[in-house]
Amino acid sequence: MAAACAAASASLSPPQLTAQRPAAQGRIIFPCASAGSRSRSLRLRPAGRRSPAIRSMPRANKTVVAALADPLKVMIAGAPASGKGTQCELIKTKFGLVHISAGDLLRAEIAAGSENGKQAKEFMEKGQLVPDEIVVNMVKERLLQPDAQENGWLLDGYPRSYSQAMALENLEIRPDIVILLEVPDELLVERVVGRRLDPVTGKIYHLKYSPPETEEIASRLTQRFDDTEEKVKLRLETYYQNLQSLLSTYEDLIVKSSLHKAERMSKAAMLMPISWRSVKLMPISWRSIALVLLDIGLCPADDGTPLLFCSTS
Ligand SMILES: Nc1ncnc2c1ncn2[C@@H]1O[C@H](COP(=O)(O)OP(=O)(O)O)[C@@H](O)[C@H]1O
């Protein structure tokens, strides 16, 4: 396991899926895991024996062999302010996936003043799920667009109910891995209430843990209309009511990052039990990629707690 992890995790640079993704054989380049480490490739070929050329390579140059025809598909779930946005940025950058956030799609509808947006806002203000009639098609259409089909996708905040999960299952749209971020509620409320957005750069700040660098930035920060203590409590309630449907639909694909455990464990101790079960259950073709995904690193969040998937490069 450790050797496989090391081999896979050493290969990190933005994937070049589009240009080099033939049906049964391709090549993904991942960024270096840390400054100074060499860029290595994950060579994708039909499962089976490695070629003599690969077998005879010196260990440091060996590529990880995996069968892969399709681009990576990742789902990420977690309570409000559990860190989905931060992790999505890092995963997106590492793997070149198209980030599709259901919440962002809805906010774009609101900003555009569309009928869907107007209806959605009423539910969002109450911390409730926006009805399927609006959300399901919106997400489905985005997932089916060519960029997501070609580069793979990172779906954030969808599905949030059994019916939404089934809508994807009926279309035979399944992720390769589902990342679930677990963070204690008291931290979540504090994170949400202090969260601010810089509308110019898109950067997220926290008034206490990650304050704006200058007065000028501070003066233009905005707060999401549903980021109040009262509303986040409602959003949390909705989240927990619907979590079970996600867990049961993707039971075999879920990788959990549990913050309360992470606080007490070393990086290795935390990553192994999380990753090992899912990796074993995952189709052979995705094992090496899952190992890469799970070994990107660990670094503190703004409030000092550890997060998975922080960039180490
Ligand atoms: N899959 C979804 N189904 C229904 N409503 C959604 C969905 N995703 C987001 N929403 C609505 O948008 C709001 C904001 O979602 P999001 O931006 O993901 O933030 P958070 O995860 O922090 O609540 C939710 O509270 C909900 O009202």
Side-chain angles (χ1 to χ4, degrees), residues 80 84 102-103 106-107 124 128 130 157-158 160 164 224 235:
K84 296 189 298 289
L106 288 167
R107 279 184 286 276
M124 292 166 81
Q128 294 172 352
V130 174
Y158 186 102
R160 294 198 195 203
Q164 290 183 5
R224 254 172 61 174
R235 282 155 66 199

Side-chain angles (χ1 to χ4, degrees), residues 138-188:
M138 190 183 73
V139 170
K140 185 187 90 180
E141 278 168 22
R142 185 64 192 89
L143 281 171
L144 295 176
Q145 279 175 23
D147 59 340
Q149 292 292 301
E150 282 165 20
N151 299 316
W153 43 257
L154 171 59
L155 187 54
D156 164 7
Y158 186 102
R160 294 198 195 203
S161 64
Y162 184 71
S163 56
Q164 290 183 5
M166 285 307 114
L168 288 189
E169 293 282 293
N170 290 338
L171 290 163
E172 297 187 9
I173 298 177
R174 276 226 123 199
D176 300 299
I177 187 166
V178 180
I179 299 165
L180 178 64
L181 302 177
E182 290 185 328
V183 178
D185 287 0
E186 58 277 15
L187 277 181
L188 296 172

Side-chain angles (χ1 to χ4, degrees), residues 109 112-122 134:
E109 291 285 338
S114 71
E115 193 47 44
N116 275 348
K118 281 182 201 144
Q119 286 183 30
K121 192 167 183 206
E122 285 177 28
I134 297 174

